[in-house]
């Protein structure tokens, strides 16, 4: 299952393709690191467990290919006036002496980063030694490059532990067998002081080619499966950076002070908890939604929107009035001028206690531009970073970027092209330390603007889940189910119960009716006809099944389904829940998950 991106020049970009080895320009040759043998004693239980892990890793699929593109980033670093004007405006707004949330950076001890990384990818079992099914299932699905990334961090962690505490720890080969770690040469030189052109035409036009499984957006999977997507995305991103010879840096910052109620300066999760009490199911803060709606209704054609600042005194007064009246529904939005609304929108973003694109991964965003010159490779890294974002941040960022796309679409009237918008938005998203800009930060100005430009231009690609990650999640779920079945069969209490039930059974159970190959039963609880058996063929799509139910129920539609967009969902089997693309070929999906149930219901908003 692949997701291909294709540009207008007929160059197919198979960014995530699990059937060919990784090839990075100028980095085809690799070196092997010799791992010294361990003298630590290993228990029989540990050896048995390690053999199982080795077997899981012995039949790995080949890693995704990082194919090349002839496109290169290009912007002009001399056109920075908008950026620095926005920075000056931000500093002025902070000179009123108001308290701000503080973020303190701590230098982690040796080995802590690797331990945190292993925990963040769902492999804390490698540290604790516990027999956790999820960790075993995850290990069983890793590609070779992914396994190498895990192996490298685990080796660093264990070596640090030996030096620091002289504790008995498992050798890396106990987890991954005798396979060696692939290390890329460190002689790769990356372009310094990349120069960018501001012409929007410099960005290639990519399109996503749908596979027979269709496309899956981030909101189409269950929270449990999206958690696994995040595990795999971090492993894949780390392996991707390793293959490029780039260090994946992450910040480790802790929030010291911030607000616990109100609208501005409140953590997104806290704000959403409060909003969901008022409007259940809210995914984007209500105040943020209202500001976007105000600007979309009246401000998209305003010349210089986002760039021309509103009145500082008016924005301050509106801020205070919103805090007092917003939740009481007594705030008068008609009094708000478009430029003031834009100022409030940017204020909301930059006053978040933690940046919208997270403090932890800000260095990774910067590195993907500073260390990777190819647009397509930048896009691959950016795609994985989006998958790593917490749900609240990702949903809010998606709403914001969709708005920015509308601003750019009205360039003819508002005089704000993609470059202008990116330069204005970048400091609000990526500058979170109030200190004087130095030469390095000036270079980062062009870098962050380019990141915003990629986010706006390619957002339709970025909000789709890479199909190879979904395949790995299916394998993880299948491995977890198989482990559970084996554990169940060896449980003595269960075996006794089964024997007793067998003896008490007076007659055999009635065999289940044989279901012909390719026939599925679709349930539609909100329709008057709640179920239907459907014979699939090679051309049956999800939208065909929806159309058939709509036709059958056209004269007796339930009141419950009116006003809702109905979608076909794949539930259970090797997936938690999956809202299917209308263009998905159902026979292919059925064969990938024959144990699933098929339900028509409204798509989650």
């Amino acid at each position: 299952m692949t997701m291909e991106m294709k540009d207008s020049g007929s160059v197919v970009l198979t960014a995530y393709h699990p059937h060919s080895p990784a090839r990075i320009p100028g980095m085809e040759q690799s070196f092997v690191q010799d791992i010294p043998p361990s003298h630590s004693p290993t228990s029989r239980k540990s050896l048995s467990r390690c053999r199982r892990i080795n077997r899981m890793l012995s039949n790995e699929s080949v890693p995704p290919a990082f194919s090349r593109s002839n496109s290169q980033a290009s912007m002009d670093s001399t056109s920075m006036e908008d950026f620095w004007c926005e920075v000056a405006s931000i500093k002025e707004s902070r000179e009123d002496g108001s308290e701000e949330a503080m973020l303190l950076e701590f230098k982690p001890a040796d080995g802590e980063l690797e331990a945190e990384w292993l925990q963040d990818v769902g492999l804390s079992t490698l540290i604790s030694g516990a027999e956790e099914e999820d960790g075993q299932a995850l290990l069983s699905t890793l590609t070779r490059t992914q396994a190498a990334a895990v192996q490298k961090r685990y080796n660093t962690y264990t070596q640090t532990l030996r030096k620091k505490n002289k504790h008995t720890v498992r050798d890396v080969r106990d987890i991954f067998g005798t396979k060696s770690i692939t290390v890329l040469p460190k002689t790769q030189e990356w372009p310094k002081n990349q120069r960018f052109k501001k012409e929007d035409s410099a960005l290639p036009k990519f399109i996503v080619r749908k596979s027979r499984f269709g496309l899956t957006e981030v909101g189409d999977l269950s929270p449990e499966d999206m958690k696994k997507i995040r595990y795999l995305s971090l492993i894949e991103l780390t392996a991707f950076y390793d293959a490029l010879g780039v260090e994946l840096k992450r910040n480790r910052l802790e929030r010291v002070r911030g607000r616990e109620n109100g609208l501005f300066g409140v953590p997104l999760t806290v704000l959403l908890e409060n909003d969901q009490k008022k409007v259940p199911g809210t995914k984007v803060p209500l105040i943020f939604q209202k500001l976007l709606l105000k600007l979309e209704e009246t401000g998209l054609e305003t010349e210089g929107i986002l760039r021309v600042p509103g009145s500082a005194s008016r924005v301050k007064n509106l801020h205070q009035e919103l805090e007092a009246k917003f939740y009481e529904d007594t705030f008068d939005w008609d009094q708000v001028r478009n430029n003031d609304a834009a100022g409030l929108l940017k204020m909301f973003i930059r006053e978040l206690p933690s940046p919208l694109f997270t403090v932890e991964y800000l260095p990774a965003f910067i590195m993907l531009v500073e260390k990777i010159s190819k647009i397509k490779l930048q896009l691959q890294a950016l795609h994985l970073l989006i998958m790593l974002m917490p749900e609240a941040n990702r949903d809010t960022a998606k709403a914001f970027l969709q708005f920015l796309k509308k601003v750019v679409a009205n360039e003819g009237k508002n005089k704000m092209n993609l470059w202008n918008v990116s330069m204005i938005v970048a400091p609000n998203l990526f500058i979170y330390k109030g200190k004087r800009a130095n030469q390095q930060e000036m270079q980062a100005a062009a870098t962050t603007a380019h990141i915003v430009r990629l986010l706006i231009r390619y957002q339709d690609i970025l909000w789709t889940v890479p199909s190879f990650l979904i395949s790995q999640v299916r394998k993880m779920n299948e491995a977890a189910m198989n482990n559970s079945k084996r554990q169940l069969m060896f449980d003595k209490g269960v075996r006794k119960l089964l024997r007793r039930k067998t003896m008490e059974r007076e007659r055999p159970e009635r065999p289940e009716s044989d279901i012909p190959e390719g026939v599925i039963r679709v349930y539609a609880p909100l329709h008057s006809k709640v179920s239907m058996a459907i014979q699939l063929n090679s051309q049956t799509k999800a939208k065909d099944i929806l159309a058939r139910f709509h036709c059958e129920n056209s004269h007796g539609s339930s009141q419950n389904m009116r006003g809702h967009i109905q979608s076909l969902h794949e539930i259970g089997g090797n997936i938690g829940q999956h809202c299917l693309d209308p263009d998905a070929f159902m026979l292919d999906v059925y064969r990938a998950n024959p144990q699933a149930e098929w339900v028509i219901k409204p798509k989650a908003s």
Side-chain angles (χ1 to χ4, degrees):
M1 202 158 79
T2 65
M3 183 185 75
E4 295 185 347
M5 294 179 290
K6 186 176 182 181
D7 67 11
S8 57
S10 300
V11 178
V12 177
L13 306 176
T14 51
Y16 307 111
H17 198 298
H19 303 301
S20 56
R23 295 292 181 190
I24 305 298
M27 303 173 69
E28 284 78 9
Q29 187 177 5
S30 61
F31 294 86
V32 175
Q33 177 181 349
D34 184 24
I35 307 172
S38 170
H39 300 288
S40 304
T42 308
S43 66
R44 292 183 179 179
K45 181 179 179 181
S46 178
L47 280 173
S48 176
R49 177 172 176 272
C50 295
R51 291 192 186 103
R52 290 199 305 273
I53 295 175
N54 292 338
R55 285 196 297 269
M56 287 189 284
L57 290 169
S58 63
N59 295 318
E60 300 154 343
S61 57
V62 183
F66 309 127
S67 50
R68 290 175 284 182
S69 165
N70 292 327
S71 312
Q72 277 190 291
S74 57
M75 278 192 278
D76 187 0
S77 60
T78 61
S79 298
M80 307 299 293
E81 294 85 356
D82 289 343
F83 184 96
W84 294 114
C85 286
E86 186 67 15
V87 171
S89 177
I90 292 172
K91 290 183 178 180
E92 287 179 8
S93 69
R94 290 176 175 172
E95 288 177 353
D96 58 359
S98 60
E99 289 189 355
E100 299 180 14
M102 295 178 61
L103 291 166
L104 298 182
E105 185 171 1
F106 297 91
K107 184 178 179 180
D110 291 341
E112 282 191 25
L113 287 178
E114 289 74 20
E116 289 179 1
W117 187 91
L118 289 169
Q119 290 176 334
D120 289 346
V121 300
L123 290 174
S124 57
T125 178
L126 297 184
I127 300 174
S128 64
E131 294 283 349
E132 296 181 8
E133 292 180 6
D134 288 346
Q136 294 180 24
L138 177 57
L139 284 173
S140 70
T141 67
L142 298 182
T143 64
R144 290 175 185 170
T145 50
Q146 291 171 349
V150 175
Q151 187 176 359
K152 179 179 178 181
R153 271 100 199 138
Y154 180 76
N155 186 45
T156 302
Y157 166 74
T158 54
Q159 288 179 351
T160 302
L161 238 59
R162 289 191 185 100
K163 293 177 182 178
K164 184 177 180 181
N165 300 323
K166 297 183 180 180
H167 285 171
T168 298
V169 293
R170 290 173 295 168
D171 188 85
V172 67
R173 292 174 298 176
D174 294 339
I175 304 297
F176 296 95
T178 57
K179 292 183 299 182
S180 56
I181 300 174
T182 300
V183 181
L184 295 165
K186 297 182 179 180
T187 57
Q188 179 74 17
E189 293 186 1
W190 298 99
K192 297 181 179 179
N193 300 322
Q194 287 193 58
R195 296 183 62 82
F196 304 104
K197 292 182 180 179
K198 64 181 180 180
E199 290 79 10
D200 295 345
S201 59
L203 293 178
K205 294 180 180 179
F206 295 127
I207 60 172
V208 178
R209 179 184 296 171
K210 289 186 179 182
S211 72
R212 291 183 63 85
F213 291 84
L215 296 179
T216 300
E217 297 182 358
V218 289
D220 291 342
L221 294 175
S222 66
E224 294 78 12
D225 285 340
M226 278 307 301
K227 184 178 180 181
K228 295 166 187 172
I229 290 289
R230 284 191 286 273
Y231 289 159
L232 291 164
S233 295
L234 180 52
I235 296 175
E236 177 66 20
L237 181 67
T238 305
F240 183 83
Y241 274 44
D242 284 352
L244 291 169
V246 178
E247 180 183 1
L248 177 60
K249 295 182 178 179
R250 299 195 297 170
N251 281 333
R252 188 177 180 230
L253 298 109
E254 296 183 6
R255 180 173 147 76
V256 177
R257 189 188 305 126
R259 303 182 62 191
E260 296 181 358
N261 50 56
L263 300 174
F264 294 77
V266 181
L268 281 176
T269 52
V270 175
L271 196 53
L272 285 172
E273 287 176 6
N274 296 334
D275 287 351
Q276 287 165 359
K277 296 175 183 176
K278 186 176 179 67
V279 182
T282 299
K283 293 187 174 182
V284 177
L286 295 176
I287 179 61
F288 196 67
Q289 289 186 47
K290 188 60 182 179
L291 287 168
L292 292 176
L293 181 62
K294 167 67 178 178
L295 288 167
E296 288 177 6
E297 289 179 343
T298 64
L300 290 178
E301 297 182 357
T302 302
E303 185 171 342
I305 192 66
L306 294 176
R307 183 182 68 231
V308 178
S311 165
S313 60
R314 282 200 309 268
V315 170
K316 182 178 179 179
N317 291 334
L318 289 169
H319 173 201
Q320 295 172 350
E321 192 175 348
L322 276 168
E323 293 281 7
K325 298 181 178 180
F326 179 75
Y327 284 121
E328 297 177 358
D329 295 325
T330 58
F331 182 79
D332 180 15
W333 285 96
D334 292 335
Q335 67 171 321
V336 182
R337 303 181 187 183
N338 292 328
N339 289 331
D340 294 342
L344 288 167
L345 182 71
K346 293 185 291 184
M347 177 188 292
F348 176 88
I349 292 171
R350 65 174 177 263
E351 288 193 2
L352 288 172
S354 179
L356 187 59
F357 288 98
T358 72
V359 170
E360 184 178 13
Y361 291 105
L362 283 185
F365 278 98
I366 302 299
M367 295 294 284
L368 76 87
V369 176
E370 291 187 348
K371 298 296 186 181
I372 304 173
S373 61
K374 303 293 185 181
I375 287 284
K376 196 211 63 176
L377 296 179
Q378 293 176 358
L379 186 56
Q380 287 178 230
L382 191 59
H383 197 175
L384 293 168
L385 282 167
I386 294 297
M387 294 298 106
L388 283 172
M389 291 177 65
E391 184 179 2
N393 295 62
R394 190 174 56 234
D395 290 339
T396 303
K398 181 178 181 181
F400 184 48
L401 292 171
Q402 287 174 337
F403 162 72
L404 296 179
K405 186 176 181 179
K406 295 175 183 177
V407 173
V408 175
N410 284 271
E411 175 190 351
K413 294 184 177 180
N414 61 33
K415 310 301 181 186
M416 295 293 291
N417 60 23
L418 182 58
W419 170 254
N420 299 140
V421 171
S422 301
M423 294 300 290
I424 292 298
V425 170
N428 291 279
L429 287 175
F430 292 103
I431 290 183
Y432 62 99
K433 294 180 179 179
K435 61 181 181 180
R436 186 181 299 275
N438 54 30
Q439 185 64 35
Q440 183 178 1
E441 289 173 326
M442 291 179 68
Q443 174 63 26
T447 299
T448 56
H450 180 57
I451 295 170
V452 175
R453 199 165 71 142
L454 295 178
L455 287 166
I456 298 173
R457 172 60 67 87
Y458 300 119
Q459 58 184 277
D460 292 341
I461 295 174
L462 298 175
W463 303 123
T464 61
V465 183
S467 56
F468 83 96
L469 291 181
I470 299 176
S471 295
Q472 286 189 266
V473 168
R474 290 185 187 276
K475 292 177 182 177
M476 279 184 66
N477 291 336
E478 288 172 355
M481 287 189 294
N482 291 335
N483 290 337
S484 297
K485 289 179 181 178
R486 283 194 294 268
Q487 183 177 355
L488 188 65
M489 292 303 295
F490 283 98
D491 184 86
K492 292 182 180 180
V494 173
R495 284 190 296 171
K496 289 181 180 179
L497 179 63
L498 290 174
R499 283 198 299 268
R500 186 169 68 250
K501 290 293 182 182
T502 302
M503 293 174 63
E504 293 174 354
R505 187 180 302 153
E506 296 180 358
R507 63 176 181 269
E509 293 182 359
R510 186 175 61 183
E512 296 183 0
S513 58
D514 293 333
I515 301 177
E517 172 70 19
V519 175
I520 63 172
R521 179 161 291 278
V522 181
Y523 297 89
L526 296 182
H527 289 70
S528 56
K529 187 170 184 178
V530 296
S531 71
M532 188 185 302
I534 296 178
Q535 173 71 58
L536 304 177
N537 59 49
S538 61
Q539 297 304 311
T540 305
K541 294 185 177 181
K543 64 183 179 183
D544 298 329
I545 296 176
L546 292 170
R548 184 168 174 181
F549 265 86
H550 179 73
C551 181
E552 292 281 344
N553 292 275
S554 58
H555 300 294
S557 298
S558 170
Q559 292 289 336
N560 294 330
M561 63 171 286
R562 293 180 182 176
H564 296 285
I565 299 176
Q566 301 286 297
S567 298
L568 181 59
H569 291 71
E570 168 196 5
I571 301 175
N574 57 30
I575 205 77
Q577 180 167 296
H578 183 197
C579 180
L580 295 173
D581 186 328
D583 290 324
F585 288 91
M586 289 304 301
L587 191 57
D588 294 77
V589 181
Y590 164 76
R591 287 171 175 167
N593 191 8
Q595 303 302 318
E597 293 185 353
W598 314 93
V599 180
I600 295 176
K601 62 179 184 176
K603 181 176 180 178
S605 57

